[in-house]
Amino acid sequence: MIEPDDVKKTAVLQVSICQPLQQFLLELGASQGAVDHYSPQFNAFTAKAGEVLLGQGEAQSQAYFVVDGIVRACHYTQEGIERCKEFYFEGELCFLYVSWLKQIPARYQLEALSACKLIQMPLSVLDDTLLQAVQLGLLKQQLLYKEQKEAFLLLHTPEQRYLYLREHSPLWLERLSQGQLANYIGITAISLSRMRRRLQDSF
């Protein structure tokens, strides 16, 4: 039987473990009171590589803050072709904005690409007026990111995209497989391998 004191200790420990998400919300403009109010709804857990956090076509109700590991959003066609939308690394809040804003089923699957330490947060939290600053901050971040990604894909060749990631996101090159990186850039793994060898020989 769990004693009341044990329940309190467990709750305090859980809140402490969820501190990275609390700090993330504070940096986006949430008040300490609002964060304290919602922290009991946060849940820290681990996910195995390949574990599905949100299935394609399912209703989205949770966001996931990445403490350690990599999460990805990908779409699977009826022919079994995998199209990767995004990767999420440590310090990022992972959820699908369109599904959240329009309250529609997920067009992408969220899955742990590696073993992960995550903090789960109900998306309904963001709808509270107490966290309007956080909602606005997230939307601004997403708008800027979308603009940068459009320029990345539309205004650059595959080689320029690779060089951009090498300069601005070296973590991607270190931690993603060649196939995953090639999929994101928009070329085959074989083409990426040839490109890397050519670039290496040119330096």
Side-chain angles (χ1 to χ4, degrees):
M1 181 176 178
I2 300 177
E3 298 296 329
D5 285 346
D6 293 332
V7 173
K8 290 179 182 178
K9 289 177 182 178
T10 301
V12 170
L13 178 61
Q14 182 72 4
V15 169
S16 176
I17 292 173
C18 293
Q19 189 173 2
L21 175 55
Q22 297 166 2
Q23 186 60 38
F24 176 81
L25 296 175
L26 289 170
E27 290 173 358
L28 280 173
S31 68
Q32 186 65 59
V35 171
D36 291 342
H37 176 76
Y38 283 111
S39 289
Q41 296 185 46
F42 303 163
N43 178 47
F45 69 103
T46 58
K48 297 179 182 178
E51 184 172 336
V52 176
L53 306 175
L54 173 67
Q56 185 174 307
E58 293 181 355
Q60 179 181 231
S61 62
Q62 305 290 328
Y64 301 92
F65 184 82
V66 184
V67 178
D68 186 52
I70 309 171
V71 174
R72 71 173 176 175
C74 52
H75 178 83
Y76 295 94
T77 68
Q78 292 182 343
E79 295 75 26
I81 298 172
E82 175 189 304
R83 302 193 184 281
C84 182
K85 173 183 182 291
E86 206 53 70
F87 297 100
Y88 304 86
F89 292 84
E90 289 88 351
E92 296 182 334
L93 188 65
C94 171
F95 67 98
L96 304 175
Y97 279 77
V98 172
S99 296
W100 168 51
L101 294 171
K102 298 183 72 174
Q103 294 296 299
I104 60 174
R107 297 174 182 172
Y108 302 91
Q109 179 164 293
L110 295 180
E111 58 187 42
L113 191 60
S114 64
C116 293
K117 293 180 181 178
L118 304 167
I119 304 173
Q120 182 175 284
M121 179 186 78
L123 272 174
S124 57
V125 167
L126 296 178
D127 295 326
D128 194 300
T129 54
L130 288 173
L131 291 178
Q132 276 188 343
V134 172
Q135 184 182 117
L136 181 59
L138 287 170
L139 291 173
K140 284 182 176 179
Q141 280 186 358
Q142 186 67 4
L143 177 60
L144 290 171
Y145 180 76
K146 287 294 185 184
E147 287 287 325
Q148 292 170 349
K149 186 174 180 180
E150 284 178 4
F152 173 81
L153 293 173
L154 297 176
L155 306 180
H156 298 88
T157 65
E159 183 173 311
Q160 289 170 329
R161 294 171 197 162
Y162 173 77
L163 291 173
Y164 179 90
L165 289 177
R166 189 167 72 176
E167 180 180 353
H168 298 282
S169 303
L171 191 65
W172 288 44
L173 274 63
E174 292 173 14
R175 298 177 61 187
L176 297 179
S177 71
Q178 187 154 286
Q180 292 158 357
L181 195 61
N183 186 297
Y184 188 81
I185 291 174
I187 58 176
T188 66
I190 293 175
S191 295
L192 177 59
S193 179
R194 290 172 179 165
M195 180 194 300
R196 278 177 151 169
R197 285 200 301 270
R198 186 177 71 254
L199 290 171
Q200 189 174 15
D201 291 341
S202 67
F203 284 103

